[in-house]
């Protein structure tokens, strides 16, 4: 059987087709259900135990070679560059451009925006190169406050006041400085942190920030809006849980978990057997942040939340390595074509 496979391998490598029909005959002869390859796999069942490893390996290689050959032949005749007579025909039209598809992160961002737009949120954007005031100080991160260490920031050497924004919370300040309440807005965008790049962290990623400022806004409003979002994003059965946390610009602050949609909250390796997965930070806007933007904190209250787009995309599509989002490998990106 080894000889037979080796001979076939040679035969396949040397094969050339002159027409699309010949390519089809090739496929039928070798790769169809009753073709030569199927026959060999049938024979494989009778191979002696000791020879199985060697024969199996060769057989699998032959299968791959056949598939590759077929793809190459098909491309030749489908691309229009080779006429049926086998000669290159430069007058034939070129292939049409492959239709593109949305990037998975855009799909997630658009979905988040769409869900919140149904309840009155509109979108604003701010600059990625930010000053200290908008990224830190106005958000209650005082000079030398240890909270600043939470953010490993890219500062600009010659201009210590300028940095790449570390979060989209900076846009809250820009909007509150220029607009009057009620404010009900989302701020999507790219943010930067000085992280060592790995499968789980990158020096840039994306966030969507939400802000609602009006009279009599309460924590219950925040909870209800986030519950609505979680159900729309992850499915009707989703439960949420708010855990007390700390952010300098919100008081009280919380982190929100959703019930693990893989195990339904029972506990599995994905949720590290806790039944919950963390998806965002949130809280009531600290009165001093309102005052920093000249909004009267005795009249107005509000909530804010911020979520990572990569994180939510990973949860939804189970992408294991965050670097894949920026490698631009079409084999990865193509897989999202059907979810436009
Ligand atoms: N800016 C925070 C971060 O990057 C996320 C965040 C937490 C945003 C709480 C908020 C909030 O608006 O209220 O980690």
């Amino acid at each position: 059987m080894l000889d037979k496979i080796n001979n076939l391998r040679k035969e396949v490598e040397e094969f050339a087709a002159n027409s699309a029909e010949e390519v089809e005959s090739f496929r039928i002869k070798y790769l169809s259900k009753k073709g030569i390859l199927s026959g060999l796999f049938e024979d494989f069942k009778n191979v002696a135990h000791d020879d199985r490893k060697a024969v199996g390996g060769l057989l699998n290689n032959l299968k791959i070679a056949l598939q590759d050959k077929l793809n190459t032949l098909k491309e030749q005749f489908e691309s229009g560059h080779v006429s049926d007579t086998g000669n290159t025909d430069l007058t034939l039209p070129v292939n049409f451009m492959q239709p593109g598809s949305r990037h998975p992160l855009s799909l997630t961002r658009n979905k988040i925006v769409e869900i919140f737009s149904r309840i009155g949120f509109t979108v604003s954007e701010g600059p990625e190169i930010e000053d200290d005031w908008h990224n830190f100080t106005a958000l209650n991160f005082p000079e030398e406050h240890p909270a600043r260490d939470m953010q490993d920031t890219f500062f600009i050497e010659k201009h210590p006041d300028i940095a790449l924004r570390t979060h989209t919370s900076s846009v809250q300040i820009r909007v509150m400085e220029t607009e009057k309440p009620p404010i009900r807005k989302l701020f999507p965008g790219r943010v930067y942190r000085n992280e060592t790049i790995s499968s789980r962290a990158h020096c840039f990623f994306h966030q969507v920030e939400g802000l609602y400022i009006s009279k009599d806004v309460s924590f219950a409003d925040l909870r209800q809006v986030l519950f609505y979002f979680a159900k729309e994003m992850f499915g009707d059965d989703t439960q949420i849980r708010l855990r007390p946390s700390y952010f300098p610009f919100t008081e009280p602050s919380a982190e929100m978990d959703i019930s693990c949609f893989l195990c339904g909250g029972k506990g599995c390796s994905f949720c590290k057997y806790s039944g919950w997965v963390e998806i965002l930070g949130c809280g009531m806007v600290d009165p001093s942040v309102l005052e920093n933007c000249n909004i009267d904190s005795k009249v107005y209250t509000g909530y804010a939340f911020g979520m990572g787009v990569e994180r939510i995309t990973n949860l939804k599509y189970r992408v294991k390595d965050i670097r894949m989002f920026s490698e631009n490998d079409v084999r990865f990106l193509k897989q999202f074509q059907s979810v436009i």
Side-chain angles (χ1 to χ4, degrees):
M1 193 160 170
L2 284 177
D3 282 347
K4 199 170 166 187
I5 298 176
N6 281 330
N7 288 339
L8 270 169
R9 180 88 192 248
K10 253 202 215 112
E11 190 180 308
V12 167
E13 271 159 19
E14 284 162 12
F15 179 84
N18 291 317
S19 66
E21 284 74 37
E22 283 184 24
V23 177
E24 181 57 7
S25 318
F26 174 89
R27 188 192 67 75
I28 294 170
K29 178 172 171 192
Y30 292 101
L31 283 160
S32 64
K33 260 195 192 146
K34 292 192 177 142
I36 292 177
L37 188 67
S38 287
L40 285 173
F41 273 103
E42 209 45 54
D43 297 345
F44 182 67
K45 289 180 189 154
N46 306 322
V47 169
H49 189 267
D50 288 351
D51 298 336
R52 281 190 153 239
K53 208 168 160 191
V55 178
L58 273 184
L59 198 52
N60 273 327
N61 286 343
L62 175 68
K63 184 177 166 185
I64 295 167
L66 272 166
Q67 201 61 56
D68 281 350
K69 183 80 182 189
L70 181 67
N71 288 344
T72 317
L73 290 169
K74 273 188 171 168
E75 262 170 35
Q76 255 179 28
F77 287 94
E78 279 168 12
S79 69
H81 289 307
V82 181
S83 68
D84 272 5
T85 55
N87 299 320
T88 305
D89 182 350
L90 298 174
T91 64
L92 287 173
V94 293
N95 247 358
F96 284 111
M97 229 163 62
Q98 292 267 324
S101 58
R102 292 222 189 279
H103 191 279
L105 296 178
S106 303
L107 290 169
T108 304
R109 186 205 46 215
N110 292 353
K111 179 86 184 159
I112 297 168
V113 169
E114 188 250 322
I115 292 172
F116 281 102
S117 70
R118 275 187 252 147
I119 51 170
F121 282 78
T122 56
V123 170
S124 283
E125 286 180 9
E128 290 176 17
I129 302 173
E130 205 28 298
D131 54 34
D132 179 279
W133 169 255
H134 291 96
N135 198 75
F136 292 123
T137 306
L139 286 160
N140 251 0
F141 291 79
E143 289 285 329
E144 312 304 332
H145 191 287
R148 282 187 196 241
D149 299 341
M150 278 162 51
Q151 327 252 358
D152 275 353
T153 309
F154 287 117
F155 282 101
I156 289 174
E157 246 173 50
K158 287 191 184 146
H159 226 301
D161 192 42
I162 305 289
L164 295 180
R165 68 177 176 197
T166 58
H167 51 184
T168 42
S169 304
S170 54
V171 193
Q172 287 187 31
I173 303 299
R174 290 193 171 271
V175 167
M176 287 193 285
E177 279 173 341
T178 51
E179 295 179 27
K180 292 214 168 357
I183 297 168
R184 193 188 273 129
K185 292 218 144 161
L186 285 185
F187 317 123
R190 183 174 293 170
V191 302
Y192 299 84
R193 290 193 197 171
N194 194 359
E195 300 259 12
T196 310
I197 298 172
S198 70
S199 61
R200 315 193 62 188
H202 212 305
C203 58
F204 68 85
F205 57 99
H206 300 78
Q207 292 186 330
V208 176
E209 186 92 7
L211 177 72
Y212 179 46
I213 309 286
S214 190
K215 291 179 183 161
D216 303 322
V217 182
S218 73
F219 199 90
D221 297 327
L222 170 63
R223 191 190 183 282
Q224 201 52 33
V225 159
L226 293 179
F227 188 35
Y228 154 78
F229 165 72
K231 291 216 266 193
E232 293 297 312
M233 193 77 197
F234 296 102
D236 236 6
D237 297 333
T238 311
Q239 293 299 315
I240 62 166
R241 153 176 109 166
L242 291 163
R243 278 179 292 109
S245 184
Y246 172 75
F247 299 101
F249 40 91
T250 43
E251 183 59 38
S253 306
E255 257 154 309
M256 182 172 104
D257 300 336
I258 55 166
S259 50
C260 177
F261 43 82
L262 284 191
C263 61
K266 284 191 210 88
C268 65
S269 62
F270 185 74
C271 60
K272 302 201 188 81
Y273 299 97
S274 69
W276 298 95
V277 279
E278 184 188 320
I279 66 157
L280 56 80
C282 61
M284 300 306 291
V285 179
D286 192 302
S288 59
V289 173
L290 296 174
E291 297 294 340
N292 285 341
C293 305
N294 289 324
I295 292 178
D296 189 345
S297 63
K298 291 192 196 66
V299 180
Y300 294 104
T301 49
Y303 61 69
F305 54 86
M307 61 187 100
V309 179
E310 276 80 353
R311 170 139 190 89
I312 296 201
T313 311
N314 285 347
L315 293 178
K316 256 185 105 73
Y317 302 119
R318 270 162 260 158
V319 177
K320 294 224 169 69
D321 190 326
I322 194 174
R323 288 169 292 198
M324 293 175 104
F325 290 126
S326 50
E327 279 168 350
N328 280 341
D329 186 330
V330 190
R331 289 167 303 178
F332 169 69
L333 297 172
K334 257 186 177 167
Q335 297 176 49
F336 299 88
Q337 231 155 18
S338 56
V339 283
I340 290 181

